[in-house]
């Protein structure tokens, strides 16, 4: 199984649930070269639409407690920042150490890059906010 696929399957289960309760979410399928270089299409992974919120995010999986930002991530930052500027919740959803799922807002990633930092540790970031939203909707 390709790296990150088990994490993506968990996200797909959340999207299935969102669809089941009458809202919408989907995975974007960008065309890429085998080494992951973006060619065309959406350059972030997912969109979720719930009442009063539109989330755009890219999912990453790290074997350690640190996400190392690579060249292709910077293009994703730029595109997610455009979504944030348009009023969307735009972020990276990172699965650290294959178990800790953290949501990192695109503005935080921009700040790190402005400081010339190319990695982000998991500590201090919230869990996936959309899960809290879904729990509230089920009460």
């Amino acid at each position: 199984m390709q790296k990150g696929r088990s994490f993506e399957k968990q996200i797909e289960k959340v999207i299935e649930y969102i669809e089941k309760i009458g809202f919408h979410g989907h995975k974007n399928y960008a065309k890429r070269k085998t080494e992951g270089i973006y060619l065309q299409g959406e350059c972030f992974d997912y969109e979720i639409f719930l009442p009063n919120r539109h989330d755009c995010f890219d999912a990453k999986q790290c074997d350690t407690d640190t996400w190392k930002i690579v060249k292709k991530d910077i293009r994703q930052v730029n595109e997610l920042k455009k979504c944030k500027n348009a009023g969307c919740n735009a972020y990276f959803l990172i699965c650290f150490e294959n178990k800790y799922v953290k949501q990192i807002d695109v503005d935080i990633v921009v700040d790190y890059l402005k400081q010339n930092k190319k990695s982000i540790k998991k500590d201090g970031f919230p869990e996936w906010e959309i899960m809290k939203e879904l729990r509230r909707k089920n009460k």
Side-chain angles (χ1 to χ4, degrees):
M1 183 178 292
Q2 77 188 69
K3 182 180 177 181
R5 188 67 191 130
S6 62
F7 180 42
E8 286 185 358
K9 283 186 175 211
Q10 295 302 312
I11 295 168
E12 288 165 12
K13 286 180 184 177
V14 172
I15 289 175
E16 285 174 21
Y17 176 74
I18 288 168
E19 293 280 330
K20 182 180 172 185
I21 62 172
F23 302 109
H24 179 71
H26 64 262
K27 178 168 176 47
N28 294 319
Y29 291 96
K31 292 183 181 174
R32 298 185 184 278
K33 292 184 178 181
T34 54
E35 59 273 9
I37 297 171
Y38 169 82
L39 294 173
Q40 70 181 47
E42 298 298 334
C43 60
F44 52 87
D45 290 335
Y46 297 95
E47 290 183 87
I48 293 176
F49 302 87
L50 292 170
N52 302 316
R53 71 180 294 149
H54 177 186
D55 287 34
C56 303
F57 62 96
D58 198 81
K60 308 281 183 196
Q61 189 165 1
C62 309
D63 293 332
T64 67
D65 70 344
T66 304
W67 169 38
K68 292 177 181 24
I69 302 170
V70 297
K71 186 176 179 180
K72 75 177 185 82
D73 298 334
I74 294 171
R75 177 171 170 83
Q76 292 169 327
V77 168
N78 292 333
E79 294 303 314
L80 285 168
K81 180 62 179 156
K82 291 175 189 175
C83 295
K84 176 89 183 236
N85 291 345
C88 300
N89 298 309
Y91 52 88
F92 288 87
L93 192 64
I94 314 289
C95 182
F96 291 97
E97 301 172 274
N98 298 312
K99 59 184 171 183
Y100 302 105
V101 177
K102 301 291 184 165
Q103 179 176 322
I104 304 175
D105 189 276
V106 69
D107 285 338
I108 292 170
V109 180
V110 168
D111 288 343
Y112 270 73
L113 291 171
K114 283 180 180 176
Q115 297 172 46
N116 207 29
K117 295 179 181 178
K118 300 290 179 155
S119 62
I120 300 177
K121 289 198 171 287
K122 78 174 189 301
D123 300 325
F125 295 104
E127 293 183 8
W128 195 12
E129 291 174 1
I130 210 156
M131 297 306 290
K132 293 177 198 170
E133 181 86 14
L134 292 172
R135 282 186 210 108
R136 277 196 299 270
K137 289 192 182 319
N138 279 334
K139 289 184 177 182

